[in-house]
Amino acid sequence: MEDDAPVIYGLEFQARALTPQTAETDAIRFLVGTQSLKYDNQIHIIDFDDENNIINKNVLLHQVGEIWHISASPADRGVLATCYNKTSDSRVVACAAVWRMPKELESSSHESPDDSASTAQALELLCHLDNGAHSNVACVTWEPMGDGKKVISLADNHLLLWDLQESSSQAVLASSAALEGKGQLKFTSGRWSPHHNCTQVATASDTTLRGWDTRSMSQIYCIENAHGQLVRDLDFNPNKQYYLASCGDDCKVKFWDTRNVTEPVKTLEEHSHWVWSVRYNHSHDQLVLTGSSDSRVILSNMVSISSEPFGHLVDDDDISDTEEHRADEKSKEPLQDNVIATYEEHEDSVYAVDWSSADPWLFASLSYDGRLVINRVPRALKYHILL
């Protein structure tokens, strides 16, 4: 079907950082950060016009260094954070900063850019997220549903909670926690839970997953050896408060109930190499996306551990009267978990996958060679979920 065909965009630079523009819930928009040693690095603002199936892009200059991670403010469309490498005194330091894009680029326009628009524009530096003591920032995660004033950065073995003040021009360290123990302890990634009044954060370090209470900065749970090798990414189920997914270098994706961490609720073993990225769909949590160094993106239907194990997800806007009777014919048996689709448009490691914040049926994936692919959930499945 024409509607399900992927749309591919090439950045001409290597890249591994991707985020939807979280505060934008009307237009389909992703931000991609480049990794180039030779040239000035850039952030590409990708606007997808789904009516015409075309991509419009704008480019922002990120001259401070290669971008390893990018995250967008949940409250302000113009604000984002990057983690980037910079070389100082011939050693490489991973830093983090909060930026604002030019006002005219905050929301999308579907005109195709003329020559003037295709020239790269500058980002405005709002503040740095480091206090000198902790270098090597692995990621920055914003308080979900918040006012964009609270962020957490993970630097080496420290978890740092920042208050952004004075229109985000100043970052004040509110509190912090540290990983204790032997060896080279270092955070690799983290996510802020949308549940529990946004007082919980989960982190990955080596093969361990940990939960933290942001009020006391104390550990709530610890899943040691969550994966056989390094944990690369994690994500919270948006609808089930104790559920989270993790993925790693053991090629597995695991689903956890944080109330009982002795073993995973479910394990997926569909990838043949390291799994770099896992994301729950924001609306329909049975839909789970993963991206891997096997160059594939896999969309799985994890319906048995979803908030709707019997498939009763109904969106009134999408159902007309003539279709209503079909919903009643559905069996009352729990549906089976399965792989919905495997996407093979990439030829290099897929470092990031993410859902659009505006369209629940649309997602993007990014491979290291700078190829961004936009795909849709297969139409037949979409209607199966809705009807």
Side-chain angles (χ1 to χ4, degrees):
M1 248 184 218
E2 207 281 318
D3 193 21
D4 290 340
V7 178
I8 298 174
Y9 169 71
L11 271 86
E12 299 165 30
F13 288 107
Q14 291 175 327
R16 65 166 72 217
L18 167 72
T19 182
Q21 187 183 20
T22 320
E24 175 58 80
T25 52
D26 296 329
I28 297 161
R29 178 176 254 210
F30 293 95
L31 309 176
V32 182
T34 67
Q35 285 204 318
S36 166
L37 288 169
K38 287 213 274 291
Y39 304 100
D40 278 341
N41 281 280
Q42 304 173 344
I43 291 172
H44 288 222
I45 303 174
I46 305 297
D47 287 308
F48 181 59
D49 172 356
D50 59 337
E51 281 176 28
N52 301 305
N53 237 27
I54 54 171
I55 280 173
N56 294 308
K57 67 145 195 200
N58 284 283
V59 176
L60 299 168
L61 277 182
H62 185 275
Q63 289 162 316
V64 286
E66 304 175 83
I67 302 169
W68 285 79
H69 185 265
I70 186 168
S71 53
S73 162
D76 188 329
R77 288 187 300 201
V79 173
L80 58 124
T82 60
C83 302
Y84 58 92
N85 275 3
K86 77 166 186 197
T87 310
S88 80
D89 304 333
S90 73
R91 78 188 183 99
V92 176
V93 189
C95 307
V98 179
W99 310 87
R100 178 175 285 288
M101 62 178 72
K103 198 94 188 127
E104 66 273 15
L105 295 182
E106 281 183 18
S107 50
S108 65
S109 64
H110 279 334
E111 293 88 60
S112 71
D114 53 21
D115 292 339
S116 62
S118 58
T119 55
Q121 301 201 47
L123 278 166
E124 178 196 349
L125 173 67
L126 293 178
C127 60
H128 289 284
L129 294 177
D130 57 58
N131 54 358
H134 312 296
S135 56
N136 297 320
V137 187
C139 83
V140 171
T141 177
W142 298 78
E143 179 184 36
M145 286 101 72
D147 54 6
K149 298 282 185 280
K150 282 197 167 74
V151 293
I152 277 177
S153 66
L154 302 177
D156 289 326
N157 64 330
H158 286 81
L159 187 142
L160 307 166
L161 173 60
W162 303 89
D163 274 331
L164 301 182
Q165 298 174 358
E166 310 296 328
S167 312
S168 301
S169 65
Q170 194 182 359
V172 177
L173 188 59
S175 53
S176 65
L179 285 175
E180 308 291 341
K182 294 193 271 300
Q184 196 59 32
L185 292 166
K186 206 169 112 185
F187 287 116
T188 47
S189 70
R191 296 287 275 185
W192 200 318
S193 170
H195 308 294
H196 314 288
N197 294 325
C198 298
T199 57
Q200 293 188 14
V201 170
T203 60
S205 49
D206 197 26
T207 59
T208 303
L209 292 171
R210 285 181 176 84
W212 306 81
D213 186 319
T214 56
R215 296 162 297 187
S216 59
M217 279 305 202
S218 56
Q219 203 168 282
I220 313 164
Y221 53 85
C222 179
I223 311 174
E224 287 187 17
N225 302 312
H227 286 264
Q229 295 176 49
L230 187 71
V231 181
R232 291 281 175 192
D233 196 22
L234 50 110
D235 197 24
F236 283 97
N237 185 313
N239 300 325
K240 291 183 79 170
Q241 60 179 340
Y242 297 105
Y243 275 62
L244 90 120
S246 62
C247 62
D249 286 1
D250 58 1
C251 312
K252 294 175 183 169
V253 181
K254 296 187 180 184
F255 298 86
W256 306 91
D257 179 339
T258 58
R259 294 166 298 186
N260 175 16
V261 296
T262 47
E263 55 187 331
V265 182
K266 203 100 188 173
T267 302
L268 276 181
E269 302 187 45
E270 299 295 336
H271 285 288
S272 57
H273 208 276
W274 306 340
V275 188
W276 282 89
S277 188
V278 59
R279 288 289 178 269
Y280 278 102
N281 185 287
H282 311 304
S283 308
H284 307 291
D285 58 277
Q286 71 259 47
L287 301 177
V288 177
L289 270 181
T290 51
S292 159
S293 299
D294 64 10
S295 305
R296 295 183 307 162
V297 174
I298 295 179
L299 176 61
S300 301
N301 195 3
M302 302 307 295
V303 67
S304 73
I305 52 171
S306 74
S307 55
E308 302 285 354
F310 296 93
H312 305 161
L313 271 171
V314 176
D315 186 337
D316 297 335
D317 298 346
D318 290 61
I319 298 182
S320 66
D321 295 339
T322 53
E323 290 163 341
E324 255 166 18
H325 70 279
R326 284 170 51 193
D328 302 333
E329 291 165 16
K330 270 198 180 175
S331 75
K332 297 293 178 270
E333 289 296 304
L335 304 170
Q336 292 297 302
D337 296 342
N338 63 326
V339 168
I340 296 158
T342 300
Y343 299 90
E344 311 262 4
E345 290 94 15
H346 293 282
E347 294 167 26
D348 204 343
S349 293
V350 179
Y351 281 141
V353 292
D354 229 321
W355 295 94
S356 162
S357 50
D359 180 341
W361 308 106
L362 191 128
F363 59 91
S365 53
L366 176 68
S367 52
Y368 190 52
D369 54 7
R371 182 178 298 180
L372 180 83
V373 180
I374 293 179
N375 266 299
R376 295 177 178 87
V377 172
R379 204 191 293 190
L381 176 77
K382 170 178 168 177
Y383 291 125
H384 182 78
I385 288 173
L386 288 177
L387 302 182

